[in-house]
Amino acid sequence: KGLPPNLMHIPPGCPFHPRCPMAQDVCRTDVPPLYDVTDVDADRGSACHFWRECLHG
């Protein structure tokens, strides 16, 4: 839900944390790396600290 981040004022950490229902403290401070999730879905990546929880949530 919500709007994409303002590209002129991207928040610290994960740019989606203000509108993400799964956001935690780490999301507000650390930009997530791009995780390789090809073992789950071919040729995909996820830049979420909690991609596993999102996938199985």
Side-chain angles (χ1 to χ4, degrees):
K1 295 183 180 182
L3 299 172
N6 180 334
L7 297 179
M8 298 298 291
H9 303 285
I10 296 175
C14 176
F16 296 99
H17 82 263
R19 65 181 185 148
C20 178
M22 296 191 68
Q24 297 183 25
D25 289 341
V26 67
C27 305
R28 293 172 185 82
T29 58
D30 298 347
V31 176
L34 182 61
Y35 294 98
D36 179 8
V37 298
T38 55
D39 61 322
V40 178
D41 196 352
D43 300 322
R44 296 262 176 139
S46 176
C48 176
H49 294 292
F50 303 101
W51 70 269
R52 286 183 181 89
E53 290 86 345
C54 291
L55 183 67
H56 302 294

